[in-house]
Amino acid sequence: MGTEQLAVILGALSVVTGLTATLFAFRADAAARGARREAARRWDDMVRPQPHFTFVSPPLTGQPMEVEVENLGGALVAGAVVAAYGEHLFASELTLPDKAPPRRILLPYVLKAWQPARRPVFLLVAGRDVSGRWWDCLDGMKVIKDPRRWIDGHLKEMRLQGAVSFPELSGSPPAKR
């Protein structure tokens, strides 16, 4: 076997080895992409803990309602809340630090309720996670696909259109009082 034949055989062997390595590299890259997609899908399917609300004390007429809120480790960073107590409606946007101790917030009085509530009740709780998606916290943490349309529909249903605005959620300017 001559030197030329040995060079041709070694060249062919290196080409085959290079092609095999390239094939395995592409397969490994595809597997890594699939694993990243699977991890992202599992993150989306994961049950997100709801923020925990506690009513502190009944509000006086025309005064804000004091509520204690705690983010129990979910990825919620912002939210919108509408609550009712007696003949009054209260609403506010809020920000929630992750896994922080409970903090007290004041839900400002919005207007007189069209239907009185015997005990404090939340009519709307929506939260935004770090990825920018909005979640309906009162309906099993369902994803809100179109936040503007969702909030407009809920405010219309509660007869609060024009009385309250959640610019963070709807992308609209705040309501005038």
Side-chain angles (χ1 to χ4, degrees), residues 57-86:
S57 61
L60 301 172
T61 303
Q63 295 297 313
M65 176 187 282
E66 191 171 9
V67 175
E68 194 171 78
V69 62
E70 179 181 15
N71 190 4
L72 298 175
L76 300 178
V77 294
V81 179
V82 175
Y85 182 67

Side-chain angles (χ1 to χ4, degrees), residues 21-144:
T22 304
L23 174 70
F24 282 115
F26 279 124
R27 291 185 65 197
D29 183 53
R33 286 184 191 171
R36 281 193 300 267
R37 265 189 247 116
E38 179 66 24
R41 188 180 60 73
R42 272 187 264 136
W43 170 255
D44 289 344
D45 292 344
M46 185 177 77
V47 176
R48 286 169 170 60
Q50 290 183 214
H52 181 71
F53 290 92
T54 307
F55 293 99
V56 177
S57 61
L60 301 172
T61 303
Q63 295 297 313
M65 176 187 282
E66 191 171 9
V67 175
E68 194 171 78
V69 62
E70 179 181 15
N71 190 4
L72 298 175
L76 300 178
V77 294
V81 179
V82 175
Y85 182 67
E87 295 181 347
H88 307 287
L89 290 176
F90 306 87
S92 178
E93 282 192 324
L94 60 131
T95 57
L96 303 170
D98 190 26
K99 296 182 184 177
R103 67 177 196 180
R104 292 185 178 197
I105 61 167
L106 294 176
L107 298 178
Y109 170 75
V110 177
L111 53 89
K112 212 161 185 68
W114 50 272
Q115 185 176 8
R118 292 185 181 173
R119 58 184 175 84
V121 64
F122 288 104
L123 303 175
L124 178 139
V125 178
R128 179 174 54 87
D129 66 12
V130 292
S131 68
R133 284 181 296 205
W134 281 91
W135 303 86
D136 183 354
C137 298
L138 294 181
D139 193 12
M141 294 299 284
K142 288 186 180 175
V143 176
I144 300 170

